[in-house]
Amino acid sequence: MRTYHCFWLLFWAGQPHQSFLTPLSKRTSGFPEKEKVLVLSGNSRQDLHRSKRSWMWNQFFLLEEYTGTDYQYVGKLHSDQDKGDGSLKYILSGDGAGDLFIINENTGDIQATKRLDREEKPVYILRAQAINRKTGRPVEPESEFIIKIHDINDNEPMFTKDVYNASIPEMSDVGTFVVQVTATDADDPTYGNSAKVVYSILQGQPYFSVESETGIIKTALLNMDRENREQYQVVIQAKDMGGQMGGLSGTTTVNITLTDVNDNPPRFPQSTYQFRAPESTPLDSPVGRIKANDADVDENAEIEYSITEGDGYDMFGITTDKDTQEGIITVKKALDFESKNLYILKVEATNTHVDPRFLYLGPFKDSATVRIQVEDVDEPPMFSRPAYIMEVKEDVPLNSVIGTVTAQDPDAAKNPVKYSVDRHTDMDRVFNINSGNGSIFTSKPLDRETLLWHNITVIAAEINNPKQSSRVPVFIKVLDVNDNAPEFAMFYETFVCENAKAEQLIQTLSAVDKDDSYNGHQFSFSLAPEAASSSNFTLQDNRDNTAGIFTRKTRYNRHETSTYFLPVVISDNDYPIQSSTETVTIRVCACDHRGKMLSCNAEALIHPTGLSTGALIAILLCIIILLVTVVLFAALRRQRKKEPLIISKEDIRDNIVSYNDEGGGEEDTQAFDIGTLRNPEAIDDNKLRRDIVPETLFMPRRTATARDNTDVRDFINQRLKENDTDPTAPPYDSLATYAYEGNGSVAESLSSLESVTTDGDQDYDYLSDWGPRFKKLADMYGSMDSDKDS
């Protein structure tokens, strides 16, 4: 007899937070209401029908958003193998096991530890199993069950957009679609009315309405005019629970803009306009502006202006300024006060984009009268033509007349006119003009190849009022004559192989001519007479403006003649015939058997390109000898440096200047260095160094005397710089002695050498004031003065 081992998952309806269970099958007999059992089979997780149990369960419900302080009780897991002795251990796995759902491993009680939100996760799938606590082996197969979270109405409807923007044409019919708004509810749509949303309008009536179920916004008022109001703000509410009391709601704003249609015709603000125009007004210049007002915008307000009738219909024109929608009246023909001084026009303004739906509002055009008064002015002279074109041959003699311009004063006074050339347009003064009759003549030679067209400006001004002037362009074309000889199209320098054969083509020539030819150029080529008979080459004219140079003999020797100069005569067929002699340079070169040039240097065959072994050895020996010489020279110089630098007793750096005194007293043995008392001005800088032999004698250089206000540091830096830049100084380190007594000494120089140079006697009584250190010196010089006096 087989034994079936199963789990019982018990749920207690009497708990404060109950779970809701869904039965899979039910027999006809009743089942106790308090106990509900989930029988889980271990064979392929199929529901096993046992005769001892009347109900079978595999899912249950929990309420979301539990707000209690204790854990929410889910149910109890129990195995028929549990004897109550604690030998079994219940475990739970799956979604949220150990975190959201925990189980008492001894009793099998399952609890939820956190608040559950159906919108985050509506279903949890878990697996339950009982194992032996000692062996860890399962006593029942693992079985699966489902926990569904029961929804409550805890989410308000949310619109897909915070703000909607829509637009419709003005004057739309009632019920015209505007926009559709959409709100969603995160609650369970399959449970109750928590997710059933109903739309309503809170703001925007009576202009707009909204369908409660679809959220479609439509117009509710007829003939809404943009010119009266353009912007509308509509507030829509979405409420769940089917709109019933207690439902949650959300709102959104819809900004609705009425777009323009052409429902307004243009209108002139006045019926008559008056303008004044001087008779000197240039063509296409504006005379005045008129504007018709249109309440529409953009293309619906675009206006086209036209002159429909009037005596100035052909004298004036009107255009539309696209930016301002104004009509600009311009002059089409020259005005003449003497001929007519008043014009009356009728101007019409019409919409360019007319909407047929609104034609019943009337014609979309308007008209106004424009009066233009012509004012008299002193006009400048007028030329008979707006521009003049003249032609002249480039070989025309100087002062030849090439054409005449004519201008006259249009006023009744008919003032005389004088002519001149604007020199800004003729900087080289190639042309000139007769100021009385306007005839233009040449003043310099012309060259078509240099400049084909000359564009000058002629000025006509009244003699009585030179400010009244006018200008006219004159275009002068220079006609060609055959005055240029043909020449080579490029500089030709070619070569001929030494092994060339006779009658071999070595170069093709072509020519160009600066002159113009109406029938095309035809050039002829020939050798110059002096080269026709004695040349080593021949020339063949191809009769197509090209010629070929051919060899006349077999083999050439570049050692005898390395370069040939071939004179070629080129002639044209125009009148008069022009010809020139061009020179082709032909070099004799060594070539391979295919005629490819190898070398054109005459020495290339005399001296081989490579060096022999003996030559390489000789070069190497020369290099070695040179290196040995350099090393010996360096060694001698180093040995010479080791010799004593001072070898003469007369070297000024070793001289001792003795004053035959004992200093400032017996206790004062190191009063100061006597060397520092040497006068820098008494040093003879003209002496040359005695420890080396100068290679070049330089002119003596007098050292600049130190400034009176320099200190010892500046003095040393100055002397160091002078020695560094002294060209007579040795290239190695040497000893330089600097003597300087300091700056601002009251005694000035104490050197006996300096004393000798003085012209008169000096008073040394002030030495006694210097203290005991100078007592001996004061006695010596004081005694000398007394000896002189005696």
Side-chain angles (χ1 to χ4, degrees), residues 70-97:
D70 299 332
Y71 289 166
Q72 187 178 10
Y73 185 78
V74 177
K76 185 178 183 63
L77 179 65
H78 184 73
S79 173
D80 56 2
Q81 296 296 320
D82 191 353
K83 305 303 181 182
D85 56 358
S87 61
L88 294 184
K89 178 181 179 182
Y90 297 94
I91 60 175
L92 191 67
S93 61
D95 295 340

Side-chain angles (χ1 to χ4, degrees), residues 641-659:
K641 285 183 180 181
K642 294 180 180 180
E643 297 177 357
L645 182 63
I646 303 173
I647 58 177
S648 174
K649 294 182 179 180
E650 298 178 357
D651 194 291
I652 62 174
R653 293 173 297 175
D654 198 31
N655 289 341
I656 298 177
V657 180
S658 177
Y659 292 92

Side-chain angles (χ1 to χ4, degrees), residues 140 303-304 409 615 657:
E140 296 285 357
I303 301 174
E304 186 71 27
D409 185 8
V657 180

Side-chain angles (χ1 to χ4, degrees), residues 242-264:
Q244 299 176 3
M245 186 71 67
L248 303 178
S249 63
T251 60
T252 187
T253 301
V254 182
N255 295 322
I256 302 175
T257 303
L258 296 184
T259 58
D260 185 57
V261 297
N262 192 6
D263 59 340
N264 294 279

Side-chain angles (χ1 to χ4, degrees), residues 701 703-704 707 713-729 736 738:
R701 181 171 57 88
T703 303
R707 299 186 303 270
R713 180 180 298 176
D714 295 337
F715 172 80
I716 294 176
N717 291 333
Q718 179 181 351
R719 291 296 186 265
L720 179 61
K721 181 177 179 181
E722 292 174 355
N723 280 273
D724 290 339
T725 58
D726 189 2
T728 62
Y738 304 129

Side-chain angles (χ1 to χ4, degrees), residues 128-284:
Q129 193 175 34
I131 62 175
N132 189 292
R133 189 180 295 275
K134 294 181 179 181
T135 64
R137 294 182 179 179
V139 298
E140 296 285 357
E142 186 179 54
S143 297
E144 184 177 88
F145 62 94
I146 300 173
I147 300 177
K148 288 188 176 181
I149 309 303
H150 181 67
D151 184 45
I152 64 174
N153 188 19
D154 59 342
N155 291 277
E156 71 275 4
M158 299 291 294
F159 283 94
T160 56
K161 295 181 181 179
D162 294 334
V163 178
Y164 289 83
N165 294 300
S167 61
I168 58 168
E170 63 175 332
M171 310 297 288
S172 297
D173 297 333
V174 175
T176 302
F177 174 84
V178 179
V179 69
Q180 183 177 14
V181 297
T182 304
T184 58
D185 196 316
D187 293 325
D188 189 0
T190 64
Y191 181 77
N193 293 328
S194 298
K196 185 177 181 181
V197 179
V198 174
Y199 301 94
S200 61
I201 184 169
L202 301 182
Q203 177 184 321
Q205 295 176 331
Y207 306 102
F208 301 95
S209 62
V210 62
E211 293 183 358
S212 61
E213 295 183 357
T214 61
I216 296 177
I217 301 175
K218 298 181 179 179
T219 58
L221 190 64
L222 185 64
N223 294 334
M224 287 189 292
D225 193 359
R226 184 199 65 84
E227 287 73 32
N228 294 331
R229 183 177 177 181
E230 184 177 3
Q231 298 288 339
Y232 295 85
Q233 190 175 74
V234 179
V235 178
I236 303 297
Q237 175 183 265
K239 191 174 184 179
D240 59 11
M241 299 298 291
Q244 299 176 3
M245 186 71 67
L248 303 178
S249 63
T251 60
T252 187
T253 301
V254 182
N255 295 322
I256 302 175
T257 303
L258 296 184
T259 58
D260 185 57
V261 297
N262 192 6
D263 59 340
N264 294 279
R267 290 290 182 263
F268 282 106
Q270 60 191 66
S271 60
T272 304
Y273 294 86
Q274 293 189 7
F275 300 101
R276 294 179 177 272
E279 63 174 337
S280 60
T281 303
L283 298 181
D284 297 326

